[in-house]
Amino acid sequence: MRNALAGFFDWKRMEKSAIPRPPRHHAILLGGLLLAVLVLVIAAEALRWRGASGAAAMPTVTTASPGRVTLTELSHAHIPAPRGMPSAHASTLAALPGNRMLAFWWAGSRESGPDVKVFASTWAHGAWSAPRMVASRDTLGAELGFGVRRIGNPVAWTDRAGKIHLYVVATGLGGWAAARIAHLVSNDQGATFHVRRILPTSPLFNTSALVRTAPLMLSDGGWWLPVYFEIGNKYPMLMAFDADGNPTTLARIGNSTTTLQPALVAISKNEVRAVMRDDSDQQLVQHAASLDGGATWRDLPALDLPNYSTSVAAIRLSSGQFLMLHNHVEGGASARSILRLSISDDMRSWRTIADIAKGPAGDEFSYPSMQQVGNELHITYTWQRQAIAHHRYRIQPEGST
């Protein structure tokens, strides 16, 4: 028995000694390769941070001098919900001809659930249609050719030719920090969609890019899509598209590393403002500006409006005034229990029009979207994570009857 054990240990020693050790220069080579990859990652990220939009076209501005308006609520209700989908969130709006409109949102058992799908409903003749599914992780995965683990925020845009562009956050392995943006297109006013591409949001890994807020129209028929980066640092960007819906450039908005979900508004042909969700301890709506048509951006002092890391929406009315939907916080409220509509003549000073929704601490009225359709303002938002609410207002010049 002793001889057998001795033989066994002799064999193990021989086996161990027989395993060749990698030469030292191989370890140095491997270390150099890892260092090169790290440098490449840093360089790629630097390119994304410093990229200028270089857009040949400027934002479209409908008016130069703001005219005061009043808003009168006409109706409020919930958009019809898909059956068996108890959770709903992140609505977005897109215009259609004939004062019609499309709403998109995701619904499922819960956020990040495998059954989450993007749904659409059409506003026409004063009512919403029954919801229809336009994207799921299965349909996206089948068209993209790789697995999609979960889907999230949709953002919609109607181009000058009437095509509907739908941008959907989609992830593979990992959470939202590993997200990509799928670009879908409809040629039949939202009845059907096909996947066009994954947006190229990084020179290297093309991950951790998400969408939330509405695009901004450009004078040549293109548009800017607000995008944001979210892995460790958080920062806003814009991606420029030409009139055919092809991405051209990507630019970072300002230098902050704690802001996301930028809402873009044109002040003039050269000046553009962005208002943003705040993920810092300051807890105020953040603010940035470009004075050269989006080529460069600088951070501005935060607005005097609370923001406890919640999404905002902003538009410029055809009258020239600016509207913003944001979650107000006051005594007894929580981060998303008051959804406020405010108005401004200059995007700096804001006054309250109304609290669109208000409840006790713990209620949620969040992720708003706005669209002007003729002389009406349409607002949608998440209602208690259970449904998408819709409010409709008449827009009238002050003093008119």
Side-chain angles (χ1 to χ4, degrees):
M1 181 67 178
R2 181 179 300 174
N3 291 337
L5 288 173
F8 173 78
F9 286 117
D10 287 342
W11 175 80
K12 292 298 290 183
R13 281 194 294 269
M14 291 175 61
E15 180 188 55
K16 185 175 181 180
S17 63
I19 299 174
R21 294 184 179 181
R24 185 174 180 180
H25 69 272
H26 285 183
I28 295 173
L29 182 62
L30 179 60
L33 181 61
L34 292 175
L35 180 61
V37 170
L38 179 61
V39 170
L40 183 60
V41 170
I42 294 172
E45 185 62 10
L47 284 174
R48 173 155 63 176
W49 276 40
R50 295 187 179 185
S53 70
M58 297 297 183
T60 298
V61 181
T62 56
T63 185
S65 55
R68 297 284 179 109
V69 298
T70 59
L71 299 177
T72 305
E73 188 172 45
L74 299 174
S75 64
H76 64 270
H78 290 167
I79 298 177
R83 291 183 179 179
M85 299 290 186
S87 184
H89 192 40
S91 59
T92 183
L93 296 170
L96 289 175
N99 287 343
R100 295 177 302 135
M101 190 170 50
L102 281 169
F104 298 87
W105 70 99
W106 67 250
S109 58
R110 56 178 174 82
E111 182 171 350
S112 302
D115 61 345
V116 165
K117 302 175 179 65
V118 174
F119 290 87
S121 179
T122 303
W123 171 264
H125 309 297
W128 291 100
S129 68
R132 58 188 182 277
M133 192 273 287
V134 297
S136 70
R137 69 175 193 166
D138 294 330
T139 61
L140 288 182
E143 289 199 66
L144 291 170
F146 56 80
V148 173
R149 183 182 177 190
R150 65 186 83 182
I151 60 176
N153 300 343
V155 166
W157 177 252
T158 306
D159 70 17
R160 196 174 277 182
K163 293 180 181 179
I164 309 297
H165 298 261
L166 182 64
Y167 302 96
V168 178
V169 173
T171 74
L173 295 176
W176 298 126
R180 302 175 182 181
I181 304 170
H183 179 188
L184 293 77
V185 178
S186 173
N187 297 310
D188 51 15
Q189 298 189 355
T192 60
F193 283 86
H194 67 274
V195 175
R196 187 164 179 175
R197 60 171 65 87
I198 290 290
L199 294 187
T201 56
S202 169
L204 194 61
F205 292 120
N206 198 30
T207 59
S208 195
L210 301 91
V211 291
R212 163 59 204 134
T213 44
L216 182 66
M217 182 183 293
L218 302 178
S219 59
D220 68 347
W223 58 94
W224 287 339
L225 174 69
V227 181
Y228 62 99
F229 178 87
E230 184 180 341
I231 181 171
N233 291 334
K234 298 174 174 61
Y235 57 85
M237 301 178 287
L238 64 85
M239 177 173 280
F241 288 78
D242 63 22
D244 294 322
N246 298 309
T248 56
T249 53
L250 184 70
R252 187 171 174 199
I253 298 174
N255 295 305
S256 171
T257 57
T258 57
T259 56
L260 59 161
Q261 298 177 342
L264 303 177
V265 180
I267 305 295
S268 68
K269 290 183 178 180
N270 296 316
E271 184 177 358
V272 187
R273 301 277 183 84
V275 288
M276 292 160 289
R277 173 176 174 171
D278 184 13
D279 197 53
S280 74
D281 293 335
Q282 194 175 16
Q283 297 187 325
L284 295 172
V285 174
Q286 297 299 315
H287 196 196
S290 172
L291 302 179
D292 52 14
T296 61
W297 290 81
R298 62 187 177 93
D299 297 313
L300 298 176
L303 300 176
D304 188 23
L305 299 171
N307 184 269
Y308 289 18
S309 195
T310 61
S311 179
V312 303
I315 63 170
R316 188 172 195 179
L317 296 172
S318 59
S319 66
Q321 288 188 290
F322 305 96
L323 293 178
M324 180 162 50
L325 279 165
H326 56 103
N327 285 112
H328 183 64
V329 180
E330 59 186 23
S334 56
R336 301 185 178 189
S337 62
I338 300 174
L339 183 61
R340 177 163 290 183
L341 178 63
S342 297
I343 194 165
S344 174
D345 295 328
D346 58 7
M347 284 286 291
R348 292 181 183 271
S349 299
W350 296 85
R351 66 182 186 277
T352 302
I353 292 180
D355 287 336
I356 302 300
K358 185 174 183 178
D363 280 1
E364 180 171 349
F365 313 107
S366 65
Y367 273 49
S369 183
M370 282 188 286
Q371 183 82 33
Q372 181 174 355
V373 178
N375 66 347
E376 292 185 356
L377 174 70
H378 292 260
I379 291 171
T380 60
Y381 59 90
T382 296
W383 185 89
Q384 304 286 36
R385 287 288 177 129
Q386 300 171 20
I388 302 301
H390 169 237
H391 293 240
R392 184 167 60 107
Y393 291 82
R394 178 180 291 113
I395 307 170
Q396 290 179 297
E398 281 191 0
S400 66
T401 57

